Amino acid sequence: MGIVIRPERPEDYYASELVTKRAFWNHYRPGCDEHYLVHKLRDDPDYLPVLTRVAEADGRIVGLIMYAKACLKTEEAEIPVILFGPLGVDPDWQRQGIGGMLLKDSLQAAREMGHRGVIIFGDPGYYPRFGFRPCSEWGITTADGGNSPAFMGLALVPGGLDYPGARFYVPPVYEDLPPDEVEAFDKGFPYMEKLRLPGQMAE
């Protein structure tokens, strides 16, 4: 297969955004905004470019994972953690283990850097194979006190997520993707039709 996992370079930016669009288009909703998040995240102070990885096959970018700083908050303290997303693989290259390769390489780098733990919102049918567990097992909730099977964590050091009662806060950039900005940004990419498909999240 000849897949190379490596850090992203500036000349990869457009290809990384395009592969993200292809990976997420019509997946959760008609269209997607993840490729715009990739674009905005690079200029955000919470971005962790040292952990970003691309998958390259035959000189083409076919996958991407990006990381950012996040935090847990208790009544007594604010605990730094990280999150990743988007993690996407081009549809033509899915089901070949590329997402797992991106994840394993970047998580090992995060461990070596001394990060405490990773918290994500992801597919509960996929991420447990990499060691992710429901955040409810640590007594961690979302910022609004909620929980769900998709809300998962991975301790990178012993006790790294042992903060019962803590709430998880994502960087603001993940929630600052206005639809009009997304539409304008998307005009720079090949047209793809927005479709309402079974299994998408309800609006």
Side-chain angles (χ1 to χ4, degrees):
M1 184 165 53
I3 300 296
V4 175
I5 305 298
R6 60 168 176 79
E8 186 185 50
R9 300 189 288 255
E11 58 266 31
D12 301 322
Y13 287 177
Y14 179 84
S16 292
E17 293 160 4
L18 177 57
V19 80
T20 303
K21 172 177 176 170
R22 286 177 49 78
F24 287 95
W25 196 257
N26 293 333
H27 185 69
Y28 294 115
R29 64 190 68 82
C32 75
D33 57 15
E34 283 83 358
H35 54 320
Y36 185 47
L37 172 58
V38 168
H39 180 75
K40 288 193 71 172
L41 189 55
R42 293 198 192 96
D43 293 325
D44 193 86
D46 290 314
Y47 177 45
L48 291 169
V50 68
L51 293 177
T52 290
R53 297 290 185 272
V54 296
E56 181 180 322
D58 301 325
R60 173 187 169 194
I61 301 301
V62 298
L64 171 76
I65 188 170
M66 302 180 83
Y67 284 77
K69 302 172 189 174
C71 72
L72 297 173
K73 293 183 181 180
T74 68
E75 292 182 359
E76 297 79 25
E78 183 172 309
I79 303 98
V81 293
I82 59 176
L83 81 160
F84 65 77
L87 164 57
V89 176
D90 189 282
D92 292 342
W93 291 83
Q94 290 175 3
R95 302 189 183 281
Q96 299 185 50
I98 294 173
M101 294 167 67
L102 287 164
L103 189 55
K104 290 175 182 177
D105 189 280
S106 55
L107 286 175
Q108 182 58 35
R111 288 188 183 95
E112 292 172 358
M113 291 176 63
H115 287 289
R116 183 184 310 272
V118 187
I119 293 181
I120 62 167
F121 297 90
D123 182 353
Y126 179 74
Y127 289 105
R129 73 188 68 174
F130 302 101
F132 283 84
R133 296 158 44 196
C135 284
S136 58
E137 294 188 15
W138 290 281
I140 295 170
T141 71
T142 59
D144 61 4
N147 232 304
S148 73
F151 183 46
M152 294 174 283
L154 174 67
L156 297 177
V157 298
L161 294 179
D162 290 348
Y163 297 95
R167 297 192 179 208
F168 176 62
Y169 291 83
V170 303
V173 65
Y174 280 81
E175 299 174 341
D176 183 23
L177 301 168
D180 58 333
E181 293 183 16
V182 174
E183 288 291 329
F185 179 72
D186 188 59
K187 294 184 186 302
F189 296 86
Y191 173 77
M192 296 172 67
E193 184 179 2
K194 293 182 180 181
L195 298 173
R196 169 61 69 187
L197 301 174
Q200 292 175 341
M201 295 186 301
E203 290 293 312

